[in-house]
Amino acid sequence: MLLGCGNMGGALLKAWAANTDHEFTVADPAKPELPEGVSQVGSVEELGEQVFDFLIVALKPQLIDDVLPAYLPRLSASGVISSIAAGYSAEKLAAHAPGRSVIRIMPNLPAIIGKGVSGLYAHGAVSETASSDIEQLALCSGEIVWVDNEDMLDRLTAVAGSGPGYVFEMLRAYVEAAENLGFSEKDAKNLVLGTVRGTLELAQQSDLSLEDLRKNVTSKGGTTAAGLNALNGKGEFSAQIRDTLQAAYERAVELR
């Protein structure tokens, strides 16, 4: 059962329903549009006597304490609580149901097009079967990384969960700089996105390190060298990226 079905929950559910044999029921009073074959209820009373092997929490964190307890009796005796909610720890989830296993999934925005990177963390004694089932769900929306503790999940959130925001901001600034060189908004966007797209594909296909790839495209005294010197000549850009991730990680710890 999926508890709540907002934008991220809905996108993940679409991938899960299309790529697995699991049966899903969504509990959401908003009654969102759902993939074909997915059951839907607006309240716990509408579930009748149904019980579920997994209860996947896809609520806003501030709603979990009020909503989750009513649905816990619908979880089977060996059932597992999972969650895609950011800023709500596995320990808090487990406190609602002592003795229950908890698996947190931390997806990022590209998961909605099947290109995400999701972090997974198992809290408590989670069976191999349950871990495998959740892993298969997460793989429907991209790549996965298991972490050993919740602190590492917060660190992963800083890198991947919040990462699309950093990338969009860098792309925005890159496009703006191209416009300042005289290109139209359309041409600037095409130039930047095309350059980034091709560079990413090259990096993924190459056996060389990112540093070696950068060196290969940088001729001494050339245009790339001049640009890189302005970008990161004294390590300013590297320091900003480190500070960005550190700030996001510290905020994730505060929200936990």
Side-chain angles (χ1 to χ4, degrees):
M1 179 171 64
L2 189 67
L3 186 54
C5 192
N7 291 334
M8 180 61 79
L12 294 176
L13 176 63
K14 184 177 180 180
W16 298 342
N19 294 286
T20 73
D21 295 327
H22 295 296
E23 296 182 0
F24 295 93
T25 296
V26 169
D28 192 324
K31 295 292 184 73
E33 184 176 347
L34 300 176
E36 185 177 352
V38 175
S39 303
Q40 183 168 209
V41 298
S43 67
V44 68
E45 289 77 16
E46 294 179 39
L47 288 172
E49 301 299 320
Q50 292 183 76
V51 294
F52 302 89
D53 294 325
F54 288 92
L55 178 56
I56 302 175
V57 180
L59 298 164
K60 293 181 179 179
Q62 61 269 28
L63 297 178
I64 294 175
D65 289 340
D66 292 332
V67 177
L68 177 59
Y71 287 87
L72 285 173
R74 304 299 180 172
L75 189 61
S76 67
S78 59
V80 174
I81 301 171
S82 188
S83 172
I84 66 167
Y88 198 96
S89 70
E91 186 174 351
K92 288 181 180 178
L93 289 166
H96 281 288
R100 296 281 191 177
S101 300
V102 174
I103 300 177
R104 282 189 63 193
I105 308 172
M106 177 51 61
N108 65 0
L109 186 60
I112 68 176
I113 59 168
K115 298 291 184 179
V117 180
S118 298
L120 285 82
Y121 164 62
H123 179 86
V126 179
S127 72
E128 186 175 336
T129 299
S131 295
S132 178
D133 284 344
I134 291 296
E135 181 175 292
Q136 291 307 309
L137 291 182
L139 284 169
C140 291
S141 55
E143 300 179 16
I144 63 168
V145 175
W146 280 97
V147 295
D148 294 332
N149 56 66
E150 199 146 39
D151 185 64
M152 285 305 299
L153 193 65
D154 288 337
R155 294 171 189 267
L156 185 145
T157 299
V159 176
S162 299
Y166 319 147
V167 175
F168 285 136
E169 176 61 12
M170 286 186 279
L171 292 174
R172 182 205 61 76
Y174 196 174
V175 170
E176 184 180 81
E179 291 179 43
N180 288 340
L181 283 179
F183 292 98
S184 68
E185 180 180 357
K186 179 181 178 181
D187 286 345
K189 186 175 181 180
N190 285 339
L191 282 168
V192 168
L193 294 185
T195 298
V196 171
R197 185 184 306 113
T199 303
L200 286 174
E201 291 182 5
L202 177 61
Q204 289 176 327
Q205 294 177 21
S206 177
D207 293 329
L208 297 175
S209 69
L210 295 177
E211 183 176 4
D212 284 340
L213 287 169
R214 187 208 65 210
K215 288 178 179 178
N216 286 350
V217 76
T218 308
S219 301
K220 186 175 181 180
T223 58
T224 306
L228 285 171
N229 186 59
L231 177 68
N232 202 28
K234 296 181 180 179
E236 304 97 326
F237 184 67
S238 294
Q240 283 187 316
I241 294 296
R242 288 194 298 271
D243 290 347
T244 297
L245 268 60
Q246 184 65 30
Y249 163 63
E250 290 174 0
R251 182 56 178 157
V253 173
E254 291 174 1
L255 291 172
R256 193 199 312 162

